[in-house]
Amino acid sequence: MSPTHQIMLACHTRAAVAALLLLGGVLPSVALAQTDYFNTDAGRPVRIEDAYAIERRAIELQVAPLRLERERGGGYRWGLEPEIAVGLLPRTQVEIGFPLVHTEGAAGVRTTALAGLEMSALYNLNAETRLPALALVADVVVPAGPLGPSTTIPSLKAIATKTFAWARFHVNGQVTFADDPLATGSRNAGVAPANAEFTRWLGGIAIDKALPLRSMLLTAEVVTSQPLVRSAARRWDVAGGTRVQLSPRVAFDAGGGYRLAGDEPGWFVTTGAAVAIGLPWSTR
């Protein structure tokens, strides 16, 4: 090979390497976002979530996540909780949510207001091998808005995820550290304390099945919980739903379920969308 051809080959090789490096720096956030349908978050579309955090340097915006509930007695309640999740560290995500609640009683009384401010941090303890993937979630809801809780409500959740060839299984267990709102009273006279919507403890299991060729995830769950109000009956809920990747950065979810047992049996539906973007700077 002549020196001229050697020089040309070296130049083409360097150009190819540079192009691959450039693509490597641009495509990861898009490629990872294309699998966002595979990651389940609490309430999107079911309450039981997986043990994985969003990718480092990623931002996920929960756009218009809506939950509508109807009690057997005819009362309606809907909630809208926009959230922002950020992957600041490896296997770690922090999240902040702004729950808005609208209640409509059987007597026609309607109330719409902010129902607290929710902050949480999830840490994935290990990658899944023969053992399930494990994660811990620390969550706190602070008083904010007319329908916010009467006191700060912290909770701790443990998550396990195990994948098989035909499906994934997730187990969640959560404990809340707060007082009975009916015993302490609400900070807003005439307004039902939002603490009553929280649980003293919660446990549940979910199963999901991914359809990669359709960029779709199907999921179902069974959840039991004890309301924060000690005198309330234990609840049993069943639910199911789907997540679909609409574009490289947008995933849509929808689901529904029924409360089989508890003080307020009835049905509920959820819908929403997640938009994934990347941080414009490095956190190294």
Side-chain angles (χ1 to χ4, degrees), residues 125-144:
L125 298 173
N126 64 293
E128 185 178 351
T129 55
R130 291 185 178 180
L131 297 176
L134 303 174
L136 292 176
V137 181
D139 184 277
V140 61
V141 180
V142 298

Side-chain angles (χ1 to χ4, degrees), residues 148-167:
S150 58
T151 185
T152 299
I153 301 179
S155 64
L156 185 64
K157 180 192 297 183
I159 305 173
T161 293
K162 181 61 178 175
T163 303
F164 297 93
W166 51 280

